Amino acid sequence: MSIEISNESGVDVDEVMLVAVAGFALEAMDVHPAAELSMVLVDDETMAELHLRWMDLPGPTDVMSFPMDELTPGGRPDAPDPGPAMLGDIVLCPSFAAAQAASAQHPVDHELVILTVHGVLHLLGYDHAEPEEEKEMFGLQGRIVDDWYVEQRRDESRRRQEARDSSLLDRIGFTGGDTRRDR
């Protein structure tokens, strides 16, 4: 996946995490590994302008998605490989997300994870205008976010174990050579 991110919001955000969660969501949705995605983080004023221009709604919002190529997640098994595509742009407003996170009483990073997955799903054609669509989209969004956190915990556990192993090997003087002993 090629995921570009540009932070024009003036807010310090964990950009590496946002790229990683977007990649995770795309992989979970079986999007071609050479697909491209752009993420832009903007301030309230810029988001309000985009919201009014594209949705005819006043004020800022949390996330907007602008799809480029039409894709179907997973596709049909007998369909030819669709190849790489430019998925489009996800625009996030970290300051708006921070206010939502405070209201929901969870960390801003968690809110940005949710919004990134939400934006990816919109790029892939999911919507929540109708009750059935909303149920499908938010169910899928919840599963991807939950799976993301499971993967993060696994990675953190693996890193801690590797650090303990390395520390132990250093203490006993292991150099990584041949461990067989002649008897």
Side-chain angles (χ1 to χ4, degrees):
M1 304 284 164
S2 172
I3 302 171
E4 300 285 327
I5 190 165
S6 175
N7 189 349
E8 301 169 6
S9 70
V11 175
D12 189 30
V13 172
D14 187 346
E15 296 171 22
V16 172
M17 176 197 68
L18 294 180
V19 168
V21 76
F24 183 87
L26 291 169
E27 189 175 306
M29 295 304 297
D30 198 25
V31 173
H32 193 283
E36 299 175 19
L37 166 67
S38 172
M39 298 177 69
V40 182
L41 284 64
V42 299
D43 59 21
D44 284 333
E45 183 180 331
T46 302
M47 185 59 100
E49 290 170 10
L50 290 170
H51 201 212
L52 185 61
R53 179 177 180 190
W54 295 102
M55 303 295 291
D56 202 24
L57 295 170
T61 189
D62 49 10
V63 61
M64 292 181 72
S65 298
F66 299 93
M68 297 285 271
D69 295 337
E70 294 235 359
L71 297 177
T72 303
R76 290 177 38 118
D78 59 345
D81 185 4
M86 176 59 186
L87 299 176
D89 301 313
I90 296 173
V91 181
L92 293 166
C93 185
S95 55
F96 195 93
Q100 285 184 163
S103 292
Q105 299 181 335
H106 59 236
V108 176
D109 279 353
H110 177 66
E111 187 72 20
L112 289 169
V113 165
I114 292 168
L115 295 175
T116 299
V117 172
H118 190 85
V120 166
L121 292 175
H122 273 307
L123 288 181
L124 297 176
Y126 289 88
D127 203 356
H128 46 85
E130 300 297 325
E132 282 303 310
E133 292 174 335
E134 181 178 9
K135 183 178 177 182
E136 179 184 19
M137 183 175 180
F138 282 91
L140 186 55
Q141 174 182 301
R143 285 190 299 277
I144 292 171
V145 168
D146 289 349
D147 290 349
W148 160 256
Y149 284 116
V150 167
E151 185 71 23
Q152 295 309 295
R153 286 189 295 275
R154 248 188 236 130
D155 288 348
E156 180 58 30
S157 178
R158 192 175 309 120
R159 283 190 292 274
R160 282 194 311 269
Q161 185 61 51
E162 287 171 359
R164 285 191 299 265
D165 291 350
S166 179
S167 175
L168 176 61
L169 292 173
D170 286 347
R171 280 193 304 230
I172 64 172
F174 182 72
T175 60
D178 192 355
T179 59
R180 292 176 298 175
R181 294 189 178 180
D182 295 329
R183 293 185 184 196

